[in-house]
Amino acid sequence: MKIIVGIGGMTNGGKTTLTNSLQKALPNCCIIHQDDFFKPQNQIAIGEDGFKQWDVLESLDMEAMVSTVQAWIRDPQKFARAHGVSVQPDTTDTHVLLLEGFLLYSYKPLVDLYSRRYFLTVPYEECKRRRSNRSYMVPDPPGLFDGHVWPMYQKYKQEMEEDGVEVVHLDGMKSRDELFHQVLEDIRNTLLNSS
């Protein structure tokens, strides 16, 4: 049995922390991070807002991401071994793929592949605070959060809702433990009901 779980949502909402915790608790679990598919910096357009457009779908090589997902679907054991994930012999028929990213539900070829879709959010003030405390390889220029990051998050969230993409909303203000146990239990139930 194979299930694909999306851990999506806003920047600095807790997606990576949750995903990494889940990988340790689930059998034969691989992760694909959307951030690994950013195009090179020289291919990122500068928008009308004056900022490099990192927070738009066009900044990502989504075809490459889909190809990576398809490689997992074709042979999850081979994919796991190639990515340093040890396959547990007693659970070789159960495989979980976690897709983690900020625009997981905006790219049509991916939307229907998920068994479960989660969407993490935190309030504007908290998101801005967390973002300003993180250090990025390419540092945020002044005004990027309000001028580009937040408006793009709102735009894609609205499109997701208009497209009727069903997600389980998660409150990123809950403790890491609480979120982890909520999602882990949900995924385990999905696995039980799928077997």
Side-chain angles (χ1 to χ4, degrees):
M1 176 195 5
K2 298 182 277 202
I3 69 164
I4 298 176
V5 176
I7 308 286
M10 65 191 343
T11 179
N12 297 282
K15 300 179 301 296
T16 306
T17 302
L18 176 59
T19 302
N20 291 340
S21 298
L22 289 168
Q23 184 183 30
K24 293 175 187 142
L26 292 164
N28 307 325
C29 182
C30 295
I31 299 175
I32 295 175
H33 297 282
Q34 191 173 37
D35 284 0
D36 293 341
F37 296 91
F38 273 113
K39 293 176 181 172
Q41 190 169 341
N42 63 359
Q43 291 180 27
I44 307 297
I46 295 180
E48 291 175 19
D49 56 17
F51 295 110
K52 282 221 177 222
Q53 302 294 290
W54 290 105
D55 289 69
V56 299
L57 206 53
E58 294 73 25
S59 69
L60 297 152
D61 186 346
M62 291 304 295
E63 288 176 13
M65 185 172 180
V66 169
S67 294
T68 306
V69 172
Q70 288 168 338
W72 179 86
I73 292 170
R74 275 191 306 278
D75 193 338
Q77 288 191 23
K78 181 180 176 185
F79 187 95
R81 285 191 301 271
H83 289 83
V85 174
S86 58
V87 177
Q88 299 168 9
D90 55 330
T91 57
T92 49
D93 59 335
T94 302
H95 294 274
V96 179
L97 179 63
L98 302 175
L99 295 188
E100 180 269 324
F102 67 110
L103 292 175
L104 292 183
Y105 312 128
S106 301
Y107 191 65
K108 299 284 185 275
L110 274 183
V111 170
D112 296 332
L113 297 177
Y114 299 104
S115 305
R116 301 293 285 160
R117 297 183 206 93
Y118 298 95
F119 195 82
L120 271 156
T121 56
V122 294
Y124 163 84
E125 295 296 340
E126 176 65 10
C127 186
K128 188 172 183 174
R129 185 190 69 74
R130 289 182 186 183
R131 177 92 183 199
S132 67
N133 290 335
R134 289 255 315 257
S135 59
Y136 289 93
M137 230 164 55
V138 179
D140 282 355
L144 179 74
F145 185 84
D146 288 317
H148 176 65
V149 174
W150 188 258
M152 286 301 109
Y153 157 69
Q154 291 182 306
K155 171 186 181 282
Y156 282 110
K157 183 174 184 279
Q158 183 180 344
E159 285 175 7
M160 177 185 83
E161 289 164 356
E162 286 169 2
D163 290 343
V165 177
E166 286 184 33
V167 296
V168 176
H169 288 276
L170 299 174
D171 179 357
M173 296 300 284
K174 286 184 176 177
S175 75
R176 290 175 176 186
D177 244 21
E178 207 176 339
L179 283 169
F180 165 71
H181 288 295
Q182 176 187 345
V183 175
L184 180 64
E185 186 178 341
D186 198 25
I187 292 172
R188 283 182 172 157
N189 286 335
T190 302
L191 287 167
L192 283 172
N193 294 330
S194 305
S195 56

